[in-house]
Amino acid sequence: MIRFAAGRLTSLVISLIVASIVIFAVIEVIPGDPAAFMLGVNARPDTIAALRAEMGLDQPVIQRYFAWVAGMLQGDFGTSWTYKTPVSDLIADRIWVSLPLAIYALALSTLIAFPAGIYAASRRGGAGDTAIMGATQLGVAIPNFWFAMILVLIFAINLRWFSAGGFPGWDNPFQAIKSLTLPAIALALPQAAILARVMRSSLLDMLGEDFIRTARAKGLTQRQALWRHAVRNALIPVLTIIGLQFSFLLAGGIIIEQVFFLPGLGRLIFQSISARDLIVVESVVMLLVFVVIVVNFLVDLAYAAVDPRLRTKS
Amino acid sequence: MSLLAIKALSVSIGDAAILHDIDLDMRAGEIVAITGESGSGKSMTALAVMGLLPRGAKAKGQIILDGHDILQTPEPALCKIRGKTVGMVFQEPMTALNPVQTIGAQVAETILIHEKTTKAEANKRAAAMLERVGLKVPPSRYPHELSGGQRQRVVIAMAIALRPKLLIADEPTTALDVTTQARILELLRGLVREFGMGLLIITHDLAVVAEIADKIVVMQKGRVVEVGATQDLLTNMQHPYTKALFAASSHLVQLPVHTGSVQLLSAKHITRDYPLPRKTLLGPRPTFRALDDVSFYIDHGERVGLVGESGSGKSTLTRAILGLEDVQSGEITLDGAPVFTGKKPNLAVRRKMQVVFQDPYSSFNPRHRVDRLITEPFHLLETPPTGQARTDAIAKALTDVGLSPDDAGKYIHEFSGGQRQRIAIARALIIEPELIIFDEAVSALDVSVRAQVLDLIADLCRKRPLAYLFISHDLSVVRTVTDRVLVMQAGKIVEQGETETVLTQPKHPYTQALIAAAPQLPQLKQAV
């Protein structure tokens, strides 16, 4: 297990190095002057020159790359051109909204999907299965912003249980969680629908396996066989989907952030792209890549925890 | 009182009747074998006794197991009977165990769900039971760390953990090598004696039946056609089907005499290594030697057998001969030309040999018609026949294997297993190769179909000189269809020589062990 983890960790580090080179290359090295791009077509040459100097573009590429990486390792992501504040502060503010929102949504999605998928699989072909499969079909088809608007209409405007948008900060954790609840539900529902379907089909595959028949021959009831033998084996494909969903939830929540007026990472990236603030774009993209790679690493560890065959095969 | 009494059992699924009026009676301590070909209803009978009939199956009649009428018992009560009163062992040990639980936990589970005991106590008993079934690895192992034979021991330990009165074993040794099969059968026999339980063994292998059973039940198409004590039944068969079945299992073919000694295939000092995963991050990759200095030859028109257990390198050798993979050292030539040149197989050589695989169900593309399937080797030819010549070639190939030219327009699912294997042979014959490799080509077939396919092979040899390499784990088949035999063990050819000589006077200890382990049909039947 330790060797397996070490192996995955090595590949994590290599992935991060490769990703940083690609991101740096795409944004700073590929033809076209970033400074000129950021300032637009009407910029005066001396302004461009000043920005070039400020961004260090007059220095050799290798040196710039290492300066960028060294800075990131110390938490220094440079200074935003548009906001005139350190990028690290910008990100720190946003990540405290986006990360909890993603975790919240993922937790909700898992909490809904697991019981729904397991229930549907155990009642295959029955009324419960049909109902759940119908609901997940809807969940997959309907876009999350539409859910978001419906939720606002019902719970914020009519019932007035939640506010319709905005984020009060973490000074009052209860209020903070409350303001993230509707967005998290809107994000979670379509994901839960997908996850429930994967859980169901994966479980049904497992229920057809020989070892389930062996378990039944030992005297386990169908339900015991499902819980003790099928569920854990069915988790592998489900974990894959969870890993993909988390990455999506972290950065892909931009529409939901707009609907609920949340100051999240999605909005930051959207705004900095519109403002051509490449320094912010570069750092946020690197951060997202970092998170995705770390999540994949955790998913790999989870695979190994679930399936002993992967531990020895590293 | 009988331990198990089945009375007038009929099972149907939808409109299809699967079992008709089955009667069966067995006592404690008795070994009863149900035998018959695929589709005879053997396994369905076993599942009915377990109360594990597939969904939608309707059963009539009575199954009295230790005083319980299984068909009338509600599911919760059945769960209490399964595992405690009756245990079951299945055919495929590779998939019968849960891959994510330790073997100890899986055996202990049988104890835990039936008895109020502590986990520690159950684990202790599970460990003892694993030891009893002859497993020499700790209970903390996972199934993937075990061989097929070891896994089957775990499955048996699971089934007998509570010393059930009846053990049902459905083809328990079919997926295993002969030496492993012999040990597992011995274990089952020992357990029956020690625990005084009844053993209902289901197998298509008549040699196994004759060796282990006290009583034989012969089934055909969902009916019991003959029942009798083993000795009585073997010496005095009544039903024509029983006679046909035993005759087919010891079927002998007459090969035309092979003469001449012009070398066709030659393999010299072949070595094939497969890389294994690295042990350390940047260290060298260890290798597994699948073929170790293998040398042999096949003459024109010569029939050569290749026997050995799983993992001995038979498949690797096949791939190397066909030029599907390069080898690390040594050379394989056909008519003097290398089978593998540069980075790819030598097509000029490849068109001189063809292969017939084991599984007649999965070795055809189901979307193609037979004419397209069997003309696939044409792509090896420089000028493939077209138009009438192609039609004629297809008709000839199909006729040669005993099918009709009209079959060319059909799809593969319209044929039975035996017919499919004929089509596979037609595919191999269509470009008139010098050499055919039969890779376990009759192993998946029922005995009667196997006898027909063996006859077909002998017929083909009579029509034109045909050289082949016949790979099989079944010594009795190799004995009748080959002139010479190679015995492989752990990547090496340990013995080779004339088939009859090697099989009657084996020199190498491994060959001796193989022959000793192979169950034999009683001599009296071979004379029939």
Side-chain angles (χ1 to χ4, degrees):
Chain A
M1 186 67 192
I2 289 169
R3 175 179 292 165
F4 175 83
R8 301 315 303 166
L9 202 59
T10 319
S11 86
L12 174 144
V13 171
I14 295 171
S15 307
L16 279 178
I17 293 171
V18 172
S20 69
I21 293 173
V22 171
I23 291 169
F24 182 80
V26 166
I27 292 188
E28 298 212 8
V29 182
I30 280 174
D33 183 347
F37 173 77
M38 284 169 70
L39 291 169
V41 275
N42 296 324
R44 297 206 332 253
D46 54 333
T47 326
I48 295 176
L51 180 59
R52 283 182 63 85
E54 191 180 327
M55 289 174 72
L57 289 178
D58 40 4
Q59 281 159 20
V61 173
I62 305 289
Q63 202 176 326
R64 265 159 50 207
Y65 171 74
F66 281 109
W68 179 57
V69 172
M72 279 194 298
L73 290 177
Q74 293 160 18
D76 174 13
F77 291 82
T79 305
S80 160
W81 178 247
T82 44
Y83 294 85
K84 304 290 179 200
T85 45
V87 178
S88 49
D89 291 354
L90 286 173
I91 291 177
D93 288 348
R94 305 317 195 263
I95 199 112
W96 282 112
V97 178
S98 287
L99 195 63
L101 179 60
I103 293 172
Y104 195 174
L106 193 72
L108 279 179
S109 144
T110 312
L111 278 176
I112 299 168
F114 273 41
I118 294 173
Y119 180 85
S122 67
R123 302 274 191 295
R124 181 185 198 173
D129 183 23
T130 314
I132 287 175
M133 281 301 101
T136 57
Q137 193 76 57
L138 271 179
V140 174
I142 296 173
N144 57 15
F145 60 84
W146 191 81
F147 273 130
M149 293 190 300
I150 298 295
L151 289 172
V152 169
L153 202 64
I154 298 174
F155 295 102
I157 297 177
N158 282 335
L159 295 174
R160 295 184 178 277
W161 290 355
F162 297 92
S163 64
F167 184 70
W170 284 98
D171 300 335
N172 183 341
F174 176 73
Q175 282 303 327
I177 289 176
K178 199 175 159 192
S179 69
L180 289 180
T181 300
L182 288 187
I185 294 175
L187 278 171
L189 284 179
Q191 306 294 326
I194 297 171
L195 204 57
R197 294 181 80 87
V198 174
M199 185 78 204
R200 173 182 178 271
S201 68
S202 175
L203 259 180
L204 287 180
D205 284 350
M206 287 307 146
L207 286 176
E209 289 286 333
D210 284 354
F211 59 81
I212 296 297
R213 190 182 55 182
T214 310
R216 297 277 285 135
K218 276 199 259 184
L220 273 73
T221 63
Q222 183 69 25
R223 184 162 304 181
Q224 283 173 320
L226 177 109
W227 281 102
R228 294 184 189 204
H229 295 280
V231 170
R232 195 166 152 195
N233 277 289
L235 279 181
I236 292 272
V238 173
L239 284 171
T240 310
I241 301 290
I242 290 181
L244 292 172
Q245 289 191 340
F246 186 76
S247 314
F248 167 79
L249 289 171
L250 190 65
I254 176 160
I255 297 178
I256 295 298
E257 286 174 11
Q258 290 293 349
V259 172
F260 290 97
F261 217 72
L262 296 174
L265 275 179
R267 278 180 87 193
L268 176 66
I269 230 183
F270 182 72
Q271 285 164 352
S272 39
I273 290 173
S274 313
R276 303 183 168 196
D277 192 341
L278 289 184
I279 301 169
V280 177
V281 175
E282 189 180 53
S283 308
V284 177
V285 170
M286 189 63 217
L287 178 78
L288 291 176
V289 167
F290 174 77
V291 172
V292 169
I293 290 175
V294 169
V295 167
N296 278 335
F297 170 70
L298 294 176
V299 168
D300 279 345
L301 290 190
Y303 283 162
V306 169
D307 192 337
R309 285 169 294 185
L310 296 170
R311 283 172 231 163
T312 39
K313 248 196 249 164
S314 68
Chain B
M1 195 189 89
S2 48
L3 169 64
L4 172 69
I6 301 178
K7 285 174 196 150
L9 173 68
S10 294
V11 173
S12 60
I13 299 178
D15 291 334
I18 311 289
L19 298 178
H20 310 266
D21 276 330
I22 305 290
D23 287 302
L24 193 151
D25 204 85
M26 67 183 286
R27 284 173 285 120
E30 194 175 36
I31 301 180
V32 174
I34 303 184
T35 190
E37 297 187 295
S38 43
S40 61
K42 310 181 296 268
S43 295
M44 199 59 85
T45 309
L47 290 175
V49 175
M50 292 298 289
L52 283 176
L53 284 170
R55 261 187 172 192
K58 288 200 174 58
K60 281 192 312 219
Q62 271 192 325
I63 302 172
I64 312 287
L65 170 65
D66 193 35
H68 308 274
D69 186 344
I70 297 294
L71 296 180
Q72 304 304 324
T73 311
E75 179 60 25
L78 279 179
C79 286
K80 296 208 172 70
I81 294 173
R82 283 184 213 124
K84 190 168 171 63
T85 312
V86 53
M88 185 153 179
V89 176
F90 299 94
Q91 170 167 359
E92 200 33 85
M94 303 315 268
T95 53
L97 294 168
N98 183 346
V100 306
Q101 277 184 8
T102 63
I103 55 172
Q106 296 190 54
V107 176
E109 188 180 34
T110 309
I111 301 166
L112 282 168
I113 58 169
H114 288 287
E115 290 182 10
K116 285 199 169 54
T117 176
T118 62
K119 227 172 182 164
E121 174 62 23
N123 285 338
K124 218 169 93 189
R125 282 168 61 188
M129 200 45 88
L130 284 169
E131 209 177 302
R132 170 63 192 87
V133 297
L135 199 71
K136 291 182 182 65
V137 299
S140 57
R141 290 292 179 85
Y142 286 96
H144 71 275
E145 299 170 293
L146 273 53
S147 70
Q150 288 175 318
R151 289 186 209 195
Q152 198 63 309
R153 285 178 197 270
V154 177
V155 177
I156 292 173
M158 230 152 53
I160 61 158
L162 294 172
R163 303 189 168 223
K165 295 179 175 158
L166 174 66
L167 179 64
I168 302 178
D170 187 357
E171 303 276 4
T173 57
T174 305
L176 304 174
D177 285 323
V178 276
T179 49
T180 317
Q181 162 169 292
R183 288 194 288 266
I184 294 287
L185 289 176
E186 197 184 291
L187 168 67
L188 288 174
R189 208 182 289 133
L191 289 169
V192 167
R193 227 176 284 134
E194 184 183 326
F195 295 176
M197 62 183 180
L199 172 63
L200 183 63
I201 184 168
I202 288 157
T203 175
H204 70 284
D205 190 331
L206 294 169
V208 168
V209 173
E211 198 169 286
I212 192 171
D214 301 321
K215 188 158 105 184
I216 299 178
V217 178
V218 183
M219 286 185 73
Q220 181 195 20
K221 293 182 186 156
R223 293 175 202 278
V224 173
V225 296
E226 192 161 358
V227 183
T230 303
Q231 271 316 310
D232 298 347
L233 190 132
L234 289 179
T235 46
N236 186 17
M237 292 178 199
Q238 295 299 318
H239 198 276
Y241 179 72
T242 312
K243 290 178 189 167
L245 206 56
F246 276 87
S249 329
S250 48
H251 185 72
L252 298 176
V253 299
Q254 287 301 319
L255 287 181
V257 179
H258 163 68
T259 50
S261 57
V262 183
Q263 219 169 66
L264 172 65
L265 180 84
S266 147
K268 288 194 181 112
H269 307 293
I270 305 300
T271 303
R272 177 78 173 97
D273 292 330
Y274 285 110
L276 296 173
R278 284 188 177 84
K279 288 261 163 52
T280 56
L281 187 62
L282 296 169
R285 298 187 72 160
T287 54
F288 169 73
R289 182 147 288 191
L291 293 178
D292 189 358
D293 194 21
V294 168
S295 299
F296 70 98
Y297 67 92
I298 298 176
D299 282 343
H300 273 281
E302 192 185 23
R303 284 85 46 154
V304 177
L306 176 61
V307 297
E309 303 198 307
S310 44
S312 63
K314 302 193 301 280
S315 303
T316 309
L317 186 58
T318 314
R319 298 178 65 81
I321 295 172
L322 287 168
L324 296 175
E325 288 174 359
D326 200 2
V327 294
Q328 266 73 35
S329 68
E331 197 183 30
I332 305 175
T333 56
L334 190 75
D335 268 342
V339 295
F340 202 90
T341 46
K343 288 199 182 315
K344 54 180 201 293
N346 184 348
L347 284 192
V349 170
R350 277 292 278 110
R351 72 181 62 129
K352 293 182 188 170
M353 57 182 165
Q354 284 294 308
V355 61
V356 177
F357 292 106
Q358 169 169 6
D359 191 338
Y361 291 91
S362 62
S363 51
F364 290 104
N365 185 332
R367 289 175 212 282
H368 294 174
R369 290 177 203 273
V370 167
D371 59 347
R372 182 164 174 194
L373 290 172
I374 65 171
T375 51
E376 274 173 317
F378 279 169
H379 80 274
L380 292 167
L381 304 180
E382 272 156 12
T383 50
T386 51
Q388 191 58 41
R390 180 171 179 274
T391 316
D392 290 346
I394 293 167
K396 181 172 185 304
L398 287 174
T399 319
D400 280 349
V401 297
L403 295 171
S404 145
D406 299 338
D407 290 331
K410 295 186 185 161
Y411 288 100
I412 199 71
H413 68 261
E414 300 173 57
F415 297 92
S416 68
Q419 287 172 323
R420 289 178 199 210
Q421 212 57 331
R422 285 171 189 268
I423 294 170
I425 295 173
R427 171 166 67 182
L429 286 175
I430 200 160
I431 56 170
E432 307 202 331
E434 307 276 337
L435 176 70
I436 294 186
I437 296 176
F438 291 102
D439 189 356
E440 298 278 4
V442 297
S443 307
L445 304 175
D446 276 325
V447 280
S448 58
V449 180
R450 185 178 76 189
Q452 291 163 14
V453 172
L454 292 178
D455 279 339
L456 169 66
I457 292 173
D459 262 354
L460 294 172
C461 291
R462 256 172 250 131
K463 281 184 191 145
R464 73 186 184 92
L466 180 67
Y468 55 75
L469 180 66
F470 195 96
I471 301 166
S472 180
H473 66 280
D474 189 332
L475 298 177
S476 67
V477 173
V478 169
R479 185 171 206 159
T480 175
V481 295
T482 64
D483 305 310
R484 205 152 51 79
V485 68
L486 317 169
V487 183
M488 268 193 106
Q489 183 198 18
K492 287 192 172 110
I493 291 183
V494 294
E495 183 161 1
Q496 54 179 309
E498 241 176 78
T499 306
E500 202 50 41
T501 320
V502 171
L503 294 188
T504 47
Q505 297 150 28
K507 295 207 176 58
H508 194 275
Y510 178 70
T511 318
Q512 290 165 356
L514 266 188
I515 293 168
Q520 297 269 315
L521 273 176
Q523 282 302 315
L524 57 127
K525 282 305 118 196
Q526 293 208 340
V528 170

